[in-house]
Amino acid sequence: MERKMKAEIAVMTAENIDEDAIRRGGEILKNGGLVAFPTETVYGLGGNALDPKASMKIYAAKGRPSDNPLIVHIADIRDLDRIVTEVPEKARILADKYWPGPLTMILPKADIVPKETTGGLDSVAVRFPSDRIAQELIRSAGGYVAAPSANTSGRPSPTTAQHVAEDLGEAIDMIIDGGQVNIGLESTIVDFTEDIPVVLRPGYISLEMLQETLGDVRMDKGLIKPDSKVHPKAPGMKYRHYAPKADLAIVEGPTEQVISEIEKRAKEAEEKGQKVGIIATDETKGRYSHGIIKSIGSREQEETIAHHLYEVLRDFDSCNVSAIYSEAFFTPRMGQAIMNRLLKAAGHKIINVQEEKENDSTGM
Ligand code: AMP
Ligand code: MG
């Protein structure tokens, strides 16, 4: 089915940037319009961060609740001081080490940042992305671009321009297509408004990496026990996010038991005339014989799992499956970030097949 596309699509690569299109994108942003663009994490939906009307347009286009603040993207470290009132020493150290890169810092906001951009909060989330297309667009827009992920609220974040077009092609002015993103999961968010820095959202930069640089860093309590009464501090983390259309459950336990549990469920569904989706890995995909099997990547290369997670969830939306079962991915470095997103996509539905007599602690 052909859908009406309002957005101009500008295709380019980081090595071969279309300067004219960047200039047009910058003008659209300066005039209060919306431009989606690639970053190293996921595609962002940009609007002028200092223009309250542009921020409100972002919420409207995404269908995002307006108490869920936006991240302000900068492309020059010297631009930071204009939008915050204070940069603690530890935040400077992190910026030196990880900017430009997949790190967002929460700092006390300056008056110039409208409350519409920060969801009514006195703090502002700031990131300096490493993607060159993103940097050029931000510069050409005047330096401050508010950009949440460029998906309809509740859908998996976009990792290609096609995903953006599917969700927002009719609602925004321009999409810069810079190909598939590099990391595939949103940035790590660190809150510096308390004495000890707190991770509000895990990402490519792990808690351990932050502790190595800063010493004491905590994980937000609302993330550790998502079912408890403790709410995550980042307003966005409380919403069910990244959800595929079919019900998703994560099957956890020793590898062999996980495979036989998923096989059993897929077979039962097939006998009832239903199809299930299975999220497997390169190592396990050959072990399943029922349902629609998609490999998310290799356990030997956890980056590949992060990279494909949202794409696989989106792919299943067009497969007409009645349920999706996923293996669990507690990989060494990015496992925290991957499982955080997968658990949210699954509404925290976990099937634990760990048997008591098993003491295989290396299970999935
Ligand atoms: P997204 O823009 O889709 O990557 O989501 C941005 C995330 O940052 C959401 O989870 C927000 O709730 C969170 N966030 C942005 N600004 C703040 C802030 N000032 N304090 C706490 N969390 C924030
Ligand atoms: Mg998002």
Side-chain angles (χ1 to χ4, degrees), residues 42 62 64 67-71 73 104 106-107 117-118 121-126 147-151 157 186-187 189 191 200-201 233-239 241-242:
V42 299
K62 278 180 64 83
R64 173 166 171 140
D67 69 342
N68 185 3
L70 310 174
I71 295 174
H73 291 69
T104 296
I106 310 284
L107 297 163
T117 301
T118 65
L121 298 175
D122 291 325
S123 55
V124 60
V126 191
S149 50
N151 52 294
S157 295
E186 301 86 345
S187 57
I189 302 181
D191 181 7
L200 302 188
R201 177 171 75 186
K233 184 163 177 196
M237 300 300 278
K238 69 177 186 263
Y239 297 107
H241 234 162
Y242 323 119

Side-chain angles (χ1 to χ4, degrees), residues 26 81 194 229 284 317 330 359:
D81 289 330
E194 295 182 30
K229 298 269 180 312
T284 58
D317 281 352
F330 295 108
N359 66 24

Side-chain angles (χ1 to χ4, degrees), residues 1 8 63 72 95 105 133 146-147 195 207 209 231 306 313 334-335 345:
M1 195 174 44
E8 173 195 346
V72 178
M105 299 202 280
I133 298 172
D195 290 341
L207 179 67
M209 287 157 80
H231 290 298
L313 292 177
M334 289 181 76

Side-chain angles (χ1 to χ4, degrees), residues 250-286:
I250 303 166
V251 185
E252 184 185 285
T255 309
E256 289 306 315
Q257 281 163 252
V258 167
I259 293 170
S260 38
E261 179 68 27
I262 296 179
E263 262 289 270
K264 187 183 92 194
R265 286 169 183 257
K267 184 162 176 275
E268 279 166 8
E270 217 161 76
E271 282 160 8
K272 285 191 254 162
Q274 293 172 338
K275 266 192 304 189
V276 304
I278 298 175
I279 302 180
T281 56
D282 292 351
E283 290 82 5
T284 58
K285 65 180 183 207

Side-chain angles (χ1 to χ4, degrees), residues 131-187:
D131 186 285
R132 285 212 33 233
I133 298 172
Q135 290 180 357
E136 291 221 7
L137 181 72
I138 294 163
R139 277 191 209 109
S140 112
Y144 301 98
V145 174
S149 50
N151 52 294
T152 303
S153 202
R155 290 212 74 201
S157 295
T159 55
T160 67
Q162 286 70 38
H163 296 162
V164 180
E166 265 168 45
D167 283 12
L168 301 173
E170 290 158 74
I172 66 177
D173 303 299
M174 183 179 199
I175 299 173
I176 298 182
D177 181 349
Q180 190 147 32
V181 299
N182 196 7
I183 295 175
L185 293 182
E186 301 86 345
S187 57

